[in-house]
């Protein structure tokens, strides 16, 4: 016995490692007191592209039912107006000046002779040093899975994801589109003709069923409804016979929305069938506004890529049984930047992220508190018009030119760096942003402008100031005239 005693600690450790597979006690250890988290992030889905948001053309019965089971946020915003920066904001919890992802590269898009400034250089991906939302959840014991479009790095597994299907730096399904064989990374081809949205959901369901006895984070960033617009033929035929309404009338796009809704329904049914519904927080949103040329979001102005409301306002609903009152809603101005601090406060990890730009949403959905806060957007680069189509932006050549935006209460101020122009709108009385009332409200204009300048200083936001030697005012005016006459 005396010979064995010195080895008892090692023997005990070996037995413990066998029983627990030598996992870190701090990571991936299920804590059933915490909710499972499902975050569905649809690509380019417009604010009004859903039945529960008022569309009379698109059919989304499963999401309409989900909306009745949780809270709908009618004034929700993306962190940015296009894919990569919005996703970088959501997954890092940081606003664009702190991570430097401003667009899908390059930053000097559009005709160089129509750009007055040299834009700030863009960062393609989140730096590996950033403590992402999946990293934070892993530290709290969550198994993390991502199914679909990642777009903020080459490999989600290097940024906090345990299980990845279909995610990489790629931002769209590519030339192969939505039917197998696929042209995306980290996925095997299915049978010829398999629909990508169906396949991504099937993989997500397998993840739920495999890890139902753990605590999991399921990130479902569908590639749909991003271009190319490709729906299932039988659904396209169905919507061809349906009358359009309020700028929404494309049968192929409606088919994509319908398939997305059907697959969300399949996932929700899986949660219920496995007894997970009551302990799962479900978040549904979009990464930015919709493409106006495909689907209008009236009364909102413009669309994807613009910092008018149509480019940044997104649908958002949350369901959390026992925590969020069914069939409830909020008009508070919230942001996808708020997901990270909200989830961090729910799971309370030992290692917390710092400098998060958002707020905790729990007071809103638990007590319906009307939170007072300002929203900031910074876009020091150029983004050309969408496929030559004018969508209600400031001029027909660009969806947006370099600038910053602040939303404070019902007031919204746009600042443009090329000419120093300021546009002030009251979103309550003028949600279409048709009437610039900056001159009529000089005090409010200067109040918001000062807040915007102070925020840029606090976040070390870079502002372009170097003149572009290729700029030609005569050519710019000529091209604006040509576009306006179309």
């Amino acid at each position: 016995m005396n010979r064995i005693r010195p080895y008892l600690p090692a023997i005990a450790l070996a037995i413990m490692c066998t029983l627990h597979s030598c996992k870190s006690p701090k990571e991936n250890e299920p804590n059933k007191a915490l909710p499972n988290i499902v975050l569905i992030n649809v690509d380019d889905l417009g604010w009004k592209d859903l039945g529960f948001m008022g569309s009379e053309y698109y059919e989304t019965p499963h999401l309409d039912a989900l909306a009745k089971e949780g809270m709908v946020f009618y004034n929700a915003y993306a962190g940015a107006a296009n894919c990569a920066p919005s996703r970088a904001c959501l997954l890092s919890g940081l606003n664009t000046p702190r991570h430097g992802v401003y667009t899908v590269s390059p930053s000097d898009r559009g005709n160089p002779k129509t750009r007055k400034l040299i834009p700030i250089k863009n960062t393609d991906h989140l730096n590996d040093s950033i403590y992402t939302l999946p990293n934070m959840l892993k530290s709290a014991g969550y198994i993390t899975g991502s199914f679909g479009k990642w777009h903020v790095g080459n490999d989600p597994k290097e940024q906090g994801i345990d299980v990845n299907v279909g995610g990489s730096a790629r931002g769209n399904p590519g030339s192969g589109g939505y039917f197998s064989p696929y042209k995306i990374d980290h996925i095997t081809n299915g049978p010829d003709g398999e629909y990508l949205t169906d396949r991504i959901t099937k993989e997500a369901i397998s993840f739920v069923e495999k890890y139902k006895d753990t605590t999991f984070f399921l990130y479902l960033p569908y590639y749909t409804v991003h271009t190319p617009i490709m729906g299932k033929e039988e659904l396209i035929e169905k919507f061809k016979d349906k009358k359009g309404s309020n700028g929404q009338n494309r049968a192929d796009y409606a088919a994509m929305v319908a398939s997305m809704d059907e697959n969300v329904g399949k996932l929700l049914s899986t949660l219920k069938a496995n007894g997970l519904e009551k302990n799962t927080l479900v978040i549904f949103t979009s990464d930015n506004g919709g493409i106006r040329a495909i689907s209008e979001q009236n009364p909102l102005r413009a669309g994807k890529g613009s910092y008018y409301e149509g480019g940044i306002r997104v649908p958002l609903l949350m369901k959390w049984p026992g925590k969020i009152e069914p069939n409830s809603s909020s008009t508070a101005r919230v942001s996808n930047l708020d997901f990270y601090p909200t989830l961090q406060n729910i799971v309370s990890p030992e290692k917390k992220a710092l400098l998060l730009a958002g707020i905790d949403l729990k007071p809103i959905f638990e007590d319906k508190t009307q939170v007072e806060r300002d929203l900031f957007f910074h876009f020091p680069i150029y983004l050309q018009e969408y496929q030559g189509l004018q969508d209600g932006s400031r001029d027909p050549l660009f969806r947006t030119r370099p600038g910053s935006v602040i939303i404070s209460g019902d007031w919204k101020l746009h600042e443009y760096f090329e000419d120093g122009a300021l546009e002030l709108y009251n979103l309550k009385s003028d949600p279409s942003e048709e009437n610039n009332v900056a001159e009529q409200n000089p005090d409010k204009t200067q109040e918001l402008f000062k807040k915007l300048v102070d925020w840029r200083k606090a976040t070390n936001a870079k502002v372009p100031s170097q003149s572009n030697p290729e700029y030609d005012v005569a050519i710019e005016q000529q091209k604006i005239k040509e576009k306006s006459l179309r």
Side-chain angles (χ1 to χ4, degrees), residues 3 5 78 86 103 125 201 217 256-257 264 275 318 347 389 410 412 415 425 450:
R3 293 178 181 178
R5 187 175 289 117
S86 169
T103 190
H125 299 146
T201 307
F217 169 60
M256 295 183 80
V257 173
V264 170
M318 295 186 181
V347 307
L389 299 170
D410 291 326
K412 182 178 182 183
E415 177 191 2
Y425 301 98
K450 183 180 185 305

Side-chain angles (χ1 to χ4, degrees), residues 191-251:
D192 285 354
E194 178 187 61
Y195 196 56
L196 180 59
T197 308
D198 294 344
R199 171 62 180 282
I200 289 293
T201 307
K202 182 179 179 181
E203 297 284 355
I205 287 172
S206 294
F207 174 83
V208 169
E209 291 176 338
K210 181 176 181 179
Y211 294 106
K212 62 184 178 181
D213 294 325
T214 72
T215 309
F216 60 80
F217 169 60
L218 169 54
Y219 180 46
L220 187 55
Y222 283 119
Y223 279 94
T224 203
V225 290
H226 195 289
T227 55
I229 304 303
M230 299 174 69
K232 293 181 180 179
E233 193 58 41
E234 62 271 21
L235 288 173
I236 294 174
E237 289 300 317
K238 170 187 174 181
F239 284 98
K240 278 182 179 178
D241 295 329
K242 185 173 183 178
K243 185 179 179 181
S245 173
N246 200 21
Q248 299 179 339
N249 53 27
R250 282 190 58 165

Side-chain angles (χ1 to χ4, degrees), residues 31 33-37 131 133-142 215-217 281 320 339-352 360 362:
N31 181 349
L34 297 177
N36 298 309
I37 300 165
Y131 187 54
L133 174 63
N135 285 142
M136 181 274 291
L137 292 171
K138 276 174 65 71
S139 76
Y142 281 73
T215 309
F216 60 80
F217 169 60
L281 167 59
W320 190 7
F339 299 162
Y340 198 137
T342 300
L343 296 177
Q344 180 165 266
N345 286 344
I346 289 171
V347 307
S348 192
E350 287 189 11
K351 181 183 177 183
K352 291 181 168 60
D360 184 358
K362 284 182 69 180

Side-chain angles (χ1 to χ4, degrees), residues 451-468:
K451 282 186 174 184
L452 198 51
V453 171
D454 290 345
W455 174 80
R456 285 202 297 262
K457 289 180 180 177
T459 57
N460 195 29
K462 296 179 181 178
V463 174
S465 58
Q466 184 180 353
S467 298
N468 175 20

Side-chain angles (χ1 to χ4, degrees), residues 8-25 29:
L8 285 177
I11 293 170
L13 179 60
I15 293 171
M16 289 176 64
C17 281
T18 301
L19 292 174
H20 297 283
S21 301
C22 288
K23 286 185 179 180
S24 164
E29 286 294 324

